Amino acid sequence: MHAGIAWITLDRPEKANAVSSELLSDVIAALDAAEAESDVRAVIFSGAGRNFCAGADLVELLEGGKTAVRRLLDNFREVCRRFESSALPIVGMAHGAVRAGGLELLLCCDAIIAADDATIGDAHTLRELLPGGGSSVRLPRVIGHQRAKWMILSGSAISATQAMDWGIVHAVAPMEALRQCAIRLAGEMSLADRQTIQRAKSLFVAAHALPIAEALENEIATLEAHSDTRVMQDGLARFVGSR
């Protein structure tokens, strides 16, 4: 941990951090541990070695058949759900190759900072695979349907700078400054109380799941419920008293 920031690192560098069912379970356990520490304010999600993540463990999928596909992707979906609903801001820190499941994991983070050497692509179709970790759902919402269809159907990778232009990546930094930039970004996104952050993040999830009228009502109802909390009352009192 660094100044209230926990690190969750994919640690299979010999496999370009390809995610297996076991590795995904480890990510969930690491997030459990971070959330259990009251002094943790944010999480930085990274990959060990030369690349962030090359995608799913293809050996597990090939050898295990349908059962392995379902097991791995259920774990994958749970990681994404936990990232999106966590009371901690999750900052993805990408470098090297980001492919397939690597991209899908980043799309569930609250912000992404990428090294200037990073290349980002969906790449499923290059192996006759289909998205299974959410890129056909989340990617169009980030970059639009036409760009998403091109990335998924072509399997092409784009640079970190282009990914920033398209809205996938929040910022690009030189590799030597990536860690410090990620820490700064995590700090910027974790100023509020955990309860406030979790409710704010829930609004974005609901905005994608609900029709617009219901999402707008949910926004008001969520703030209404939040208004009774000591967190909000104290925050307003501090602001009013400082004027």
Side-chain angles (χ1 to χ4, degrees):
M1 188 169 69
H2 179 283
I5 297 171
W7 292 75
I8 298 178
T9 302
L10 301 174
D11 194 15
R12 294 183 79 197
E14 74 285 358
K15 300 288 187 182
N17 298 318
V19 290
S20 62
S21 299
E22 182 180 0
L23 183 57
L24 291 166
S25 295
D26 289 343
V27 171
I28 294 170
L31 183 58
D32 285 339
E35 291 176 340
E37 295 290 336
S38 60
D39 56 346
V40 171
R41 299 182 294 109
V43 169
I44 295 176
F45 181 52
S46 63
R50 296 175 57 188
N51 301 294
F52 173 72
C53 176
D57 186 330
L58 301 185
V59 174
E60 181 177 347
L61 297 182
L62 184 61
E63 294 180 352
K66 287 183 178 181
T67 300
V69 170
R70 171 56 66 175
R71 180 178 62 246
L72 190 149
L73 293 178
D74 277 348
N75 283 5
F76 201 107
R77 180 168 53 185
E78 180 62 10
V79 169
C80 292
R81 186 193 70 79
R82 290 290 304 278
F83 276 16
E84 290 177 333
S85 64
S86 177
L88 301 172
I90 312 291
V91 173
M93 189 179 82
H95 71 290
V98 179
R99 298 291 187 275
L103 170 59
E104 290 172 317
L105 286 169
L106 286 182
L107 289 172
C108 298
C109 294
D110 299 310
I112 304 162
I113 188 160
D116 52 11
D117 75 336
T119 57
I120 299 170
D122 183 78
H124 284 100
T125 58
L126 298 182
R127 301 291 181 268
E128 303 299 342
L129 286 166
L130 301 173
S135 62
S136 70
V137 177
R138 293 184 179 91
L139 190 59
R141 291 170 174 169
V142 174
I143 66 175
H145 282 270
Q146 294 301 317
R147 286 172 172 169
K149 283 192 284 187
W150 173 79
M151 286 192 72
I152 290 172
L153 296 180
S154 73
S156 297
I158 59 177
S159 68
T161 301
Q162 189 170 2
M164 183 175 68
D165 290 342
W166 285 9
I168 298 173
V169 168
H170 174 77
V172 176
M175 185 63 192
E176 61 271 17
L178 185 63
R179 181 183 176 91
Q180 195 56 45
C181 290
I183 291 170
R184 183 168 59 248
L185 180 58
E188 291 170 353
M189 298 181 69
S190 57
L191 298 177
D193 183 88
R194 282 189 181 191
Q195 191 174 4
T196 303
I197 289 170
Q198 187 168 38
R199 280 189 158 138
K201 288 175 62 170
S202 77
L203 296 177
F204 291 100
V205 175
H208 288 313
L210 299 174
I212 186 167
E214 292 179 32
L216 290 169
E217 172 56 31
N218 176 71
E219 185 182 69
I220 294 172
T222 301
L223 176 57
E224 184 179 31
H226 192 59
S227 67
D228 280 338
T229 64
R230 176 57 58 187
V231 167
M232 179 172 163
Q233 293 297 318
D234 288 349
L236 293 180
R238 284 195 302 271
F239 180 75
V240 172
S242 68
R243 292 194 306 178

